[in-house]
Amino acid sequence: GQQVMQIPQYQHVQEGEDFTTYCNSSTTLSNIQWYKQRPGGHPVFLIQLVKSGEVKKQKRLTFQFGEAKKNSSLHITATQTTDVGTYFCAGAHSSASKIIFGSGTRLSIRP
Amino acid sequence: DSGVTQTPKHLITATGQRVTLRCSPRSGDLSVYWYQQSLDQGLQFLIQYYNGEERAKGNILERFSAQQFPDLHSELNLSSLELGDSALYFCASSATGTVNTEAFFGQGTRLTVV
């Protein structure tokens, strides 16, 4: 079936280092959303990308949607302890009626 | 606070039993989604309802069923429970139910089957 693959599964960084998580699909996505789930919490919507090649920024977070609309990335510059959590991408394939979540990347940070 | 309410927060039950999880969507949202999250796992989409009608189905077991009522709240029924059904069950709601609409998640119901 249609899947959205996300890597890496885990990332452990020193505070202040950068962090990137990647999502890939074998077929074109109509849009992609990013969510953050803090430990013990629930997923919270961060952003949605719709256009080919789109780049959006939220403070230290940069979100990109690939030109072919098959991949996306989330980059965090100079991580802080508040960035700890699991980041999920969620993509919808053009022909599908449901959004599919990636497996998530768990970010942990050494102070 | 996302505005999505899930009850109960915790549930412990024995194998073979049946439970009902309840979700009240955000005010004005017409669509409800159910997800299962096992320990250290991603979010597995179970089912989506829009304005009382089933909109999309994911990897939902035959032992599981759901419905959305006229007041738009939803219930997820899990029967003949197995140990492997232990997980966090999230409900989410969105305004239109289309794939390009932001979803708001509830706090989840943690189900433990013993």
Side-chain angles (χ1 to χ4, degrees):
Chain A
Q2 295 171 326
Q3 289 185 319
V4 175
M5 308 301 294
Q6 190 172 355
I7 57 169
Q9 189 175 1
Y10 302 98
Q11 187 83 53
H12 187 59
V13 302
Q14 181 76 41
E15 186 176 12
E17 291 181 340
D18 293 355
F19 159 78
T20 306
T21 172
Y22 302 89
C23 270
N24 290 287
S25 170
S26 58
T27 57
T28 302
L29 298 167
S30 63
N31 64 293
I32 196 152
Q33 298 176 343
W34 286 93
Y35 291 79
K36 176 183 179 182
Q37 184 178 18
R38 292 182 185 274
H42 59 280
V44 175
F45 176 85
L46 294 177
I47 208 159
Q48 174 170 269
L49 304 171
V50 178
K51 299 177 183 175
S52 168
E54 189 170 12
V55 178
K56 288 188 177 180
K57 293 191 176 185
Q58 289 180 351
K59 297 183 180 178
R60 296 178 293 104
L61 277 60
T62 302
F63 305 84
Q64 293 187 330
F65 202 8
E67 293 289 341
K69 299 183 72 174
K70 290 184 178 181
N71 56 73
S72 181
S73 65
L74 157 58
H75 179 82
I76 302 178
T77 303
T79 54
Q80 300 175 359
T81 55
T82 53
D83 296 325
V84 164
T86 301
Y87 293 85
F88 292 98
C89 63
H93 294 94
S94 301
S95 59
S97 61
K98 58 182 184 285
I99 202 155
I100 301 169
F101 277 78
S103 54
T105 296
R106 178 182 289 184
L107 172 63
S108 58
I109 297 175
R110 297 187 296 273
Chain B
D1 182 12
S2 65
V4 178
T5 304
Q6 287 187 249
T7 57
K9 286 188 169 51
H10 302 276
L11 198 50
I12 301 175
T13 190
T15 54
Q17 295 298 305
R18 171 190 169 95
V19 297
T20 298
L21 312 184
R22 183 188 168 98
C23 170
S24 293
R26 282 192 330 154
S27 177
D29 282 359
L30 297 178
S31 192
V32 168
Y33 309 77
W34 286 98
Y35 292 90
Q36 181 193 56
Q37 186 174 45
S38 300
L39 192 62
D40 290 339
Q41 296 294 311
L43 291 157
Q44 298 298 316
F45 169 72
L46 297 177
I47 200 163
Q48 177 197 1
Y49 281 84
Y50 176 79
N51 205 19
E53 299 291 326
E54 183 182 304
R55 168 72 66 90
K57 216 167 188 176
N59 300 321
I60 187 166
L61 300 172
E62 285 192 9
R63 300 184 285 109
F64 296 0
S65 65
Q67 54 183 326
Q68 186 179 28
F69 295 87
D71 68 352
L72 301 177
H73 91 271
S74 178
E75 291 181 356
L76 178 66
N77 299 297
L78 315 176
S79 62
S80 301
L81 285 167
E82 302 174 359
L83 295 177
D85 297 327
S86 295
L88 196 51
Y89 290 84
F90 284 108
C91 166
S93 73
S94 70
T96 65
T98 57
V99 295
N100 59 356
T101 308
E102 172 183 356
F104 295 84
F105 282 77
Q107 301 288 337
T109 292
R110 183 169 294 283
L111 173 66
T112 303
V113 182
V114 297

